[in-house]
Amino acid sequence: MRVITGSARGAKLRTLEGLATRPTSDRVKEAVFNIIQFDVEGRRVLDLFAGSGQLAIEALSRGAAYGVLVDESKQAVGVIRENLKKVRFDQQASVIQSDALRYLDHCRERFDLIFLDPPYAGDLLELSLQKISEIDILNPGGIIICERSRDKEIPAFAGKLECSRDYFYGKTAVNLYTMGQGRNE
């Protein structure tokens, strides 16, 4: 896994061993950053299921101002810190070891970009979207980028958040949520 472009272009990032995490493929990562390319520079980023930290690191490499990377695994947090130090973004980021929903319960910061790439099985994606809508941490004009299995259905609305775009890359789907009029279903 590598940083695609920007100030850390080409840097190889470490990933966790085993099947505990599923890193975003370079193909999907490149597609995501092509979609949001004009929405990264100077922005505050939250990578809620950070794994190796590659999505936030890519954003920082492309000019994001600051990143918060959250993962519940002690091993993942160690890999994230190592990767941030390797690309010299450790001063532009905070790494937090926490369950994602517990982190959101206490979050008082606001973000412009939020990456949600939870384990595909289960309902963490839906629960995270709902919680983000409730606590209102997305800045005006902000974007939530969700990665999921193409087979998994997700809601068109999550509180005040609205799914504005869908993209498909093989077995992976990427959805963008923005603040909409909202609708509780």
Side-chain angles (χ1 to χ4, degrees), residues 43-102:
R43 306 302 170 104
R44 291 183 53 79
V45 175
L46 171 62
D47 191 348
L48 196 54
F49 300 89
S52 65
Q54 71 162 327
L55 294 174
I57 289 171
E58 186 72 36
L60 291 166
S61 181
R62 293 170 183 244
Y66 193 77
V68 175
L69 296 84
V70 178
D71 203 286
E72 69 178 335
S73 162
K74 182 178 182 179
Q75 292 78 18
V77 165
V79 167
I80 293 166
R81 286 191 172 118
E82 182 180 319
N83 285 336
L84 285 167
K85 188 172 185 173
K86 179 177 186 175
V87 294
R88 299 184 180 142
F89 294 145
D90 46 327
Q91 299 300 309
Q92 290 176 256
S94 295
V95 181
I96 299 168
Q97 183 180 346
S98 175
D99 169 87
L101 297 176
R102 189 172 304 121

Side-chain angles (χ1 to χ4, degrees), residues 26 51 57 73 91 124 127 183:
D26 280 350
I57 289 171
S73 162
Q91 299 300 309
L124 281 173
L127 292 170
R183 198 169 88 179

Side-chain angles (χ1 to χ4, degrees), residues 8-27:
R9 179 181 183 182
K12 291 187 179 186
L13 302 176
R14 189 170 154 233
T15 60
L16 286 166
E17 300 292 325
L19 302 173
T21 60
R22 172 201 31 78
T24 299
S25 72
D26 280 350
R27 177 179 173 232

Side-chain angles (χ1 to χ4, degrees), residues 37-166:
Q37 65 183 322
F38 301 112
D39 298 301
V40 176
E41 192 167 339
R43 306 302 170 104
R44 291 183 53 79
V45 175
L46 171 62
D47 191 348
L48 196 54
F49 300 89
S52 65
Q54 71 162 327
L55 294 174
I57 289 171
E58 186 72 36
L60 291 166
S61 181
R62 293 170 183 244
Y66 193 77
V68 175
L69 296 84
V70 178
D71 203 286
E72 69 178 335
S73 162
K74 182 178 182 179
Q75 292 78 18
V77 165
V79 167
I80 293 166
R81 286 191 172 118
E82 182 180 319
N83 285 336
L84 285 167
K85 188 172 185 173
K86 179 177 186 175
V87 294
R88 299 184 180 142
F89 294 145
D90 46 327
Q91 299 300 309
Q92 290 176 256
S94 295
V95 181
I96 299 168
Q97 183 180 346
S98 175
D99 169 87
L101 297 176
R102 189 172 304 121
Y103 169 79
L104 291 174
D105 281 338
H106 302 289
C107 183
R108 301 296 175 256
E109 297 182 69
R110 296 183 61 80
F111 301 94
D112 303 295
L113 295 173
I114 300 175
F115 293 104
L116 299 179
D117 185 10
Y120 283 177
D123 57 357
L124 281 173
L125 182 58
E126 296 89 338
L127 292 170
S128 298
L129 286 167
Q130 190 63 44
K131 180 64 77 174
I132 289 167
S133 176
E134 289 169 11
I135 63 174
D136 193 27
I137 61 170
L138 187 64
N139 281 326
I143 302 168
I144 300 172
I145 302 98
C146 304
E147 185 178 330
R148 64 179 173 86
S149 167
R150 185 180 190 134
D151 300 333
K152 181 181 178 85
E153 294 295 322
I154 59 170
F157 294 91
K160 298 174 189 172
L161 301 172
E162 181 176 359
C163 184
S164 59
R165 300 293 303 264
D166 299 306

